[in-house]
PDB file of all heavy atoms in Angstrom:
ATOM      1  N   ASN A  15     132.893 150.403 212.322  1.00  0.00           N
ATOM      2  CA  ASN A  15     131.895 150.894 211.364  1.00  0.00           C
ATOM      3  C   ASN A  15     131.276 149.757 210.550  1.00  0.00           C
ATOM      4  O   ASN A  15     130.225 149.950 209.932  1.00  0.00           O
ATOM      5  CB  ASN A  15     132.529 151.907 210.411  1.00  0.00           C
ATOM      6  CG  ASN A  15     133.035 153.139 211.128  1.00  0.00           C
ATOM      7  OD1 ASN A  15     132.382 153.642 212.040  1.00  0.00           O
ATOM      8  ND2 ASN A  15     134.212 153.624 210.750  1.00  0.00           N
ATOM      9  N   GLU A  16     131.925 148.602 210.531  1.00  0.00           N
ATOM     10  CA  GLU A  16     131.447 147.476 209.728  1.00  0.00           C
ATOM     11  C   GLU A  16     130.594 146.498 210.528  1.00  0.00           C
ATOM     12  O   GLU A  16     129.607 145.970 210.003  1.00  0.00           O
ATOM     13  CB  GLU A  16     132.638 146.725 209.111  1.00  0.00           C
ATOM     14  CG  GLU A  16     133.391 147.510 208.047  1.00  0.00           C
ATOM     15  CD  GLU A  16     132.532 147.867 206.846  1.00  0.00           C
ATOM     16  OE1 GLU A  16     131.773 146.995 206.366  1.00  0.00           O
ATOM     17  OE2 GLU A  16     132.609 149.026 206.400  1.00  0.00           O
ATOM     18  N   PHE A  17     130.954 146.238 211.776  1.00  0.00           N
ATOM     19  CA  PHE A  17     130.210 145.247 212.553  1.00  0.00           C
ATOM     20  C   PHE A  17     128.705 145.532 212.615  1.00  0.00           C
ATOM     21  O   PHE A  17     127.898 144.593 212.539  1.00  0.00           O
ATOM     22  CB  PHE A  17     130.791 145.112 213.962  1.00  0.00           C
ATOM     23  CG  PHE A  17     131.916 144.110 214.052  1.00  0.00           C
ATOM     24  CD1 PHE A  17     133.174 144.500 214.465  1.00  0.00           C
ATOM     25  CD2 PHE A  17     131.709 142.779 213.732  1.00  0.00           C
ATOM     26  CE1 PHE A  17     134.220 143.582 214.556  1.00  0.00           C
ATOM     27  CE2 PHE A  17     132.747 141.842 213.811  1.00  0.00           C
ATOM     28  CZ  PHE A  17     133.996 142.250 214.223  1.00  0.00           C
ATOM     29  N   PRO A  18     128.264 146.809 212.736  1.00  0.00           N
ATOM     30  CA  PRO A  18     126.816 147.060 212.742  1.00  0.00           C
ATOM     31  C   PRO A  18     126.108 146.641 211.446  1.00  0.00           C
ATOM     32  O   PRO A  18     124.891 146.445 211.438  1.00  0.00           O
ATOM     33  CB  PRO A  18     126.717 148.572 212.957  1.00  0.00           C
ATOM     34  CG  PRO A  18     127.985 148.940 213.649  1.00  0.00           C
ATOM     35  CD  PRO A  18     129.013 148.044 213.056  1.00  0.00           C
ATOM     36  N   LYS A  19     126.875 146.490 210.362  1.00  0.00           N
ATOM     37  CA  LYS A  19     126.289 146.064 209.080  1.00  0.00           C
ATOM     38  C   LYS A  19     126.111 144.550 209.016  1.00  0.00           C
ATOM     39  O   LYS A  19     125.489 144.040 208.084  1.00  0.00           O
ATOM     40  CB  LYS A  19     127.170 146.524 207.921  1.00  0.00           C
ATOM     41  CG  LYS A  19     127.377 148.027 207.851  1.00  0.00           C
ATOM     42  CD  LYS A  19     128.370 148.383 206.742  1.00  0.00           C
ATOM     43  CE  LYS A  19     128.726 149.869 206.760  1.00  0.00           C
ATOM     44  NZ  LYS A  19     129.763 150.189 205.751  1.00  0.00           N
ATOM     45  N   GLY A  20     126.690 143.842 209.987  1.00  0.00           N
ATOM     46  CA  GLY A  20     126.575 142.384 210.022  1.00  0.00           C
ATOM     47  C   GLY A  20     127.879 141.750 210.462  1.00  0.00           C
ATOM     48  O   GLY A  20     128.943 142.082 209.931  1.00  0.00           O
ATOM     49  N   VAL A  21     127.775 140.834 211.421  1.00  0.00           N
ATOM     50  CA  VAL A  21     128.988 140.209 211.960  1.00  0.00           C
ATOM     51  C   VAL A  21     129.652 139.312 210.920  1.00  0.00           C
ATOM     52  O   VAL A  21     130.865 139.383 210.703  1.00  0.00           O
ATOM     53  CB  VAL A  21     128.659 139.411 213.245  1.00  0.00           C
ATOM     54  CG1 VAL A  21     129.886 138.658 213.748  1.00  0.00           C
ATOM     55  CG2 VAL A  21     128.138 140.351 214.327  1.00  0.00           C
ATOM     56  N   GLU A  22     128.862 138.463 210.261  1.00  0.00           N
ATOM     57  CA  GLU A  22     129.457 137.560 209.276  1.00  0.00           C
ATOM     58  C   GLU A  22     130.065 138.341 208.111  1.00  0.00           C
ATOM     59  O   GLU A  22     131.146 137.998 207.623  1.00  0.00           O
ATOM     60  CB  GLU A  22     128.414 136.551 208.786  1.00  0.00           C
ATOM     61  CG  GLU A  22     127.987 135.581 209.883  1.00  0.00           C
ATOM     62  CD  GLU A  22     127.218 134.394 209.349  1.00  0.00           C
ATOM     63  OE1 GLU A  22     127.691 133.773 208.367  1.00  0.00           O
ATOM     64  OE2 GLU A  22     126.145 134.087 209.905  1.00  0.00           O
ATOM     65  N   HIS A  23     129.376 139.381 207.675  1.00  0.00           N
ATOM     66  CA  HIS A  23     129.895 140.263 206.622  1.00  0.00           C
ATOM     67  C   HIS A  23     131.258 140.810 207.015  1.00  0.00           C
ATOM     68  O   HIS A  23     132.209 140.830 206.220  1.00  0.00           O
ATOM     69  CB  HIS A  23     128.888 141.395 206.390  1.00  0.00           C
ATOM     70  CG  HIS A  23     129.470 142.699 205.956  1.00  0.00           C
ATOM     71  ND1 HIS A  23     129.796 142.976 204.643  1.00  0.00           N
ATOM     72  CD2 HIS A  23     129.796 143.823 206.671  1.00  0.00           C
ATOM     73  CE1 HIS A  23     130.297 144.197 204.565  1.00  0.00           C
ATOM     74  NE2 HIS A  23     130.306 144.732 205.777  1.00  0.00           N
ATOM     75  N   THR A  24     131.384 141.255 208.267  1.00  0.00           N
ATOM     76  CA  THR A  24     132.632 141.854 208.731  1.00  0.00           C
ATOM     77  C   THR A  24     133.732 140.814 208.851  1.00  0.00           C
ATOM     78  O   THR A  24     134.881 141.046 208.443  1.00  0.00           O
ATOM     79  CB  THR A  24     132.412 142.560 210.077  1.00  0.00           C
ATOM     80  OG1 THR A  24     131.344 143.502 209.928  1.00  0.00           O
ATOM     81  CG2 THR A  24     133.664 143.292 210.529  1.00  0.00           C
ATOM     82  N   LEU A  25     133.393 139.648 209.391  1.00  0.00           N
ATOM     83  CA  LEU A  25     134.398 138.589 209.505  1.00  0.00           C
ATOM     84  C   LEU A  25     134.846 138.103 208.126  1.00  0.00           C
ATOM     85  O   LEU A  25     136.016 137.711 207.957  1.00  0.00           O
ATOM     86  CB  LEU A  25     133.850 137.426 210.331  1.00  0.00           C
ATOM     87  CG  LEU A  25     133.639 137.722 211.816  1.00  0.00           C
ATOM     88  CD1 LEU A  25     132.982 136.531 212.506  1.00  0.00           C
ATOM     89  CD2 LEU A  25     134.944 138.087 212.513  1.00  0.00           C
ATOM     90  N   ASP A  26     133.964 138.158 207.145  1.00  0.00           N
ATOM     91  CA  ASP A  26     134.366 137.815 205.775  1.00  0.00           C
ATOM     92  C   ASP A  26     135.436 138.792 205.262  1.00  0.00           C
ATOM     93  O   ASP A  26     136.412 138.379 204.627  1.00  0.00           O
ATOM     94  CB  ASP A  26     133.158 137.834 204.833  1.00  0.00           C
ATOM     95  CG  ASP A  26     132.237 136.639 205.016  1.00  0.00           C
ATOM     96  OD1 ASP A  26     132.677 135.630 205.613  1.00  0.00           O
ATOM     97  OD2 ASP A  26     131.074 136.722 204.573  1.00  0.00           O
ATOM     98  N   ILE A  27     135.256 140.074 205.549  1.00  0.00           N
ATOM     99  CA  ILE A  27     136.257 141.076 205.140  1.00  0.00           C
ATOM    100  C   ILE A  27     137.587 140.794 205.835  1.00  0.00           C
ATOM    101  O   ILE A  27     138.659 140.835 205.210  1.00  0.00           O
ATOM    102  CB  ILE A  27     135.771 142.503 205.476  1.00  0.00           C
ATOM    103  CG1 ILE A  27     134.527 142.854 204.667  1.00  0.00           C
ATOM    104  CG2 ILE A  27     136.890 143.524 205.228  1.00  0.00           C
ATOM    105  CD1 ILE A  27     133.889 144.175 205.075  1.00  0.00           C
TER     106      ILE A  27
END
Side-chain angles (χ1 to χ4, degrees):
N15 297 320
E16 292 298 316
F17 273 120
K19 301 175 187 176
V21 175
E22 293 193 49
H23 149 82
T24 305
L25 291 175
D26 286 342
I27 295 173

